Amino acid sequence: MSLFQIDFGSGGKEHKVIGIDLGTTNSLGAFMDLTGPTVIPGPGGNPIVPSVVSIPEHGEPIVGWPAVDRLISDPDRTIYSVKRLMGRGVRDVQEELKLFPFHIASGSDQVIQLSLGGKRFTPPGISALVLRQIKKNAEDFFGEPIDHAVITVPAYFNDAQRQATKDAGRIAGLQVMRLVNEPTAAALAYGLDKRENGVVAVYDLGGGTFDISILKLHDGIFEVLATNGDTHLGGDDIDNLLLKIALEDIASEWGVDLSGDSSAVQRVRRAVIEAKHQLSSAPSAVIALDLNGKSFRRELPRDVFEKLITPLVDRTLAPCRACLKDAGLTPDEIDEVVLVGGSTRIPLVRQAVRNLFKAEPHTELDPDEVVALGAAVQAGILSGHVPDKLLLDVTPLSLGIETMGGVVSKLIHRNSTIPASASETFTTAVEGQRNVLIHVVQGEREMVRDNRSLARFDLKDLDPLPAGMPKIEVRFLIDANGILNVTAKDLRTGKAHSVDVKPSYGLTDEQVEAMILESFSKAEEDFAERQLREVRVEADRILNAVDKAKGDDAYMELSDEERANVDRCIAELILAYHGENHHLVHEKMDQLNEATMKLAELMMNTAVQGALKGTKIDA
Ligand code: ADP
Ligand code: MG
């Protein structure tokens, strides 16, 4: 099944597109070749570029591993975890900032500006430096310019955060062909789209963040059912725990407290991280430090390590349960579990996931490469390397509202990538209407009665105005979690009302499929009925207007014959109205319009004269 026309935007010229995982702790790029997705090695062969940037006093910015070293030697000019600040306002990040050593430049309150060694940077500007490094690695590797990329973002990123990520790409000289949700990328890397239908849980424990996402696949399209997590939980917490213990051990063994010496602390931190990594594959590891002629060795068996980190691992479980609940699923309804993030190498973490979902998680791919590999799969599709369907996070069914005549006005169409938003302005059909009923529906059919009703609410207490005068803006916003927010606003008074609904709630794959198929088979019938309904609304309006005009003095100025003609046209329109032929209604409407032309002119003249008189008096 092909879902979208892909616009290559290059007039057919093929260009390489790389996939990039722009992570909080680490970033890396990957590409698609004939054998499948492969990571792009950096200068020393390592594909990972730590998301750390240092701005030296003189010379070019330093990015990646060399910048990590400068976290200690030049902390004021070195920035990490900038992803936490992407697309956010100064007020959103007050809590985050308490944990950061760097500060926001004064005078910037809407847009975050970081001051690094006297220079100002925005979060996208910093992220761009990381992206530029990956772009450079790719160019060195391929020996040709690379300027197209697919970049991944957390599923919960909102519009602003996504936009900021795109901006970062642009600043780095990359055309961002698509943003893909990280869990979707992970599922793509494992080729889970091939299974067509099913539910996938993606458990992502990285350096500083934990994300759990539940994706639903229908016909190879991923929909994010729910996401949850903890923005401050990850490998860093384990490092801090081990660091504290190591510093205490060193203090008691050497009689020296190193905790005030930041460069020594950094050495100890590296030693414990090294041991942590070894423990993922070995039953025991040694925390080793040689400093100032002294030597420290502490054996750390895996079972002791596991006891220490159990509370941290357990902290991932509550978000998982909440996520399942939001998705309306039980653990045994999950078909596949995918592990993402360097910290899922830890055997205890894998065991916890296994216990919770009662399933063997996918671990075949490197957990810190899997997101980049999935981005490369999407990149391959976009560059035409993978002759396959396009896989996106999309709305499975169209969303719209009921309008006059019981017809649906669609705002967000089926297969729109999410998050998505749309707005349209509607008006009233009845004189002095005080309430407007907003009826939100889902489905592909033209008539409201053939769709699924999602929500109804009233926009109340409008100022009574003539029909057609009020302007009611209806705005649909579907976020990355698939939650639909509907807001109706009276543009004249600003009065608004909104609701949140979960369109996918309680909907099975079979139902979605049936709804789509039905819309195809009933398309012609539906279209005819819609036309009839719409023309009837129009006819109602005209009949009402003529009825009113007949009460006007001007009506008596018409000849008997003219008046008889109006009445005949009215009668014929009413007859056509109750028939099934919308063409005939149109025809009769035109005839009535013509028969009342003179009347309209007479009324208009009176109105203009009245208005002119009014001006004179005022003047
Ligand atoms: P992010 O997505 O936040 O950028 P990553 O997925 O790259 O982060 O994960 C980084 C974390 O994974 C770090 O805390 C790192 O120490 C940890 N990690 C990497 N390899 C291992 C390993 N072999 N065992 C345990 N933890 C590991
Ligand atoms: Mg990650």
Side-chain angles (χ1 to χ4, degrees), residues 277-447:
H277 288 187
Q278 283 171 13
L279 282 170
S280 290
S281 48
S284 182
V286 175
I287 300 172
L289 178 78
D290 294 298
L291 192 76
N292 306 332
K294 286 196 198 123
S295 156
F296 172 80
R297 298 280 179 276
R298 172 58 37 93
E299 174 159 10
L300 183 60
R302 192 191 274 167
D303 57 343
V304 175
F305 172 70
E306 290 185 341
K307 257 200 206 90
L308 287 171
I309 67 167
T310 296
L312 288 173
V313 177
D314 285 350
R315 270 175 60 196
T316 66
L317 299 178
C320 291
R321 292 194 188 101
C323 193
L324 280 164
K325 188 158 172 268
D326 285 348
L329 295 169
T330 56
D332 50 279
E333 287 174 290
I334 303 291
D335 300 303
E336 313 257 6
V337 182
V338 172
L339 292 184
V340 179
S343 301
T344 62
R345 285 224 175 82
I346 298 170
L348 186 73
V349 172
R350 295 190 173 181
Q351 192 53 48
V353 174
R354 217 175 270 132
N355 290 347
L356 178 70
F357 292 105
K358 297 180 187 66
E360 192 56 40
H362 281 280
T363 53
E364 306 91 291
L365 297 171
D366 217 325
D368 34 37
E369 294 180 354
V370 58
V371 169
L373 293 173
V377 172
Q378 178 74 72
I381 294 168
L382 290 173
S383 60
H385 274 107
V386 185
D388 205 345
K389 62 203 156 200
L390 192 50
L391 300 135
L392 295 167
D393 301 290
V394 297
T395 54
L397 293 167
S398 301
L399 298 162
I401 67 163
E402 171 168 0
T403 53
M404 280 298 288
V407 297
V408 181
S409 175
K410 286 178 188 160
L411 274 93
I412 295 181
H413 288 265
R414 178 169 112 73
N415 277 349
S416 300
T417 44
I418 56 174
S421 62
S423 68
E424 225 171 281
T425 309
F426 297 88
T427 188
T428 52
V430 179
E431 292 300 305
Q433 194 172 329
R434 304 211 56 152
N435 289 348
V436 176
L437 171 76
I438 306 289
H439 183 196
V440 185
V441 297
Q442 177 182 42
E444 305 314 309
R445 302 283 301 275
E446 300 287 343
M447 296 303 127

Side-chain angles (χ1 to χ4, degrees), residues 444-461:
E444 305 314 309
R445 302 283 301 275
E446 300 287 343
M447 296 303 127
V448 168
R449 55 147 205 267
D450 298 320
N451 289 280
R452 209 168 159 242
S453 171
L454 290 181
R456 279 171 209 268
F457 65 91
D458 270 319
L459 186 61
K460 288 202 186 98
D461 303 325

Side-chain angles (χ1 to χ4, degrees), residues 21-27 48 51 83 182 204-209 234-236 239 273 276-280 340-346 367-368:
D21 170 7
L22 185 59
T24 309
T25 316
N26 294 315
S27 300
I48 287 180
S51 310
K83 186 172 177 178
E182 287 163 12
D204 180 349
L205 190 61
T209 54
D236 297 348
D239 304 347
I273 292 174
K276 175 184 83 169
H277 288 187
Q278 283 171 13
L279 282 170
S280 290
V340 179
S343 301
T344 62
R345 285 224 175 82
I346 298 170
D368 34 37

Side-chain angles (χ1 to χ4, degrees), residues 215-292:
L215 310 178
K216 183 174 176 173
L217 254 174
H218 4 212
D219 301 325
I221 303 166
F222 289 101
E223 184 199 359
V224 181
L225 286 187
T227 67
N228 209 305
D230 186 329
T231 51
H232 292 281
L233 177 60
D236 297 348
D237 297 288
I238 298 177
D239 304 347
N240 289 336
L241 195 77
L242 296 180
L243 177 67
K244 188 167 165 277
I245 294 167
L247 286 173
E248 281 167 11
D249 281 3
I250 291 169
S252 67
E253 201 173 305
W254 293 358
V256 210
D257 178 13
L258 294 178
S259 58
D261 176 349
S262 58
S263 121
V265 169
Q266 181 66 356
R267 300 274 303 270
V268 183
R269 183 182 290 278
R270 287 205 187 154
V272 299
I273 292 174
E274 178 60 26
K276 175 184 83 169
H277 288 187
Q278 283 171 13
L279 282 170
S280 290
S281 48
S284 182
V286 175
I287 300 172
L289 178 78
D290 294 298
L291 192 76
N292 306 332

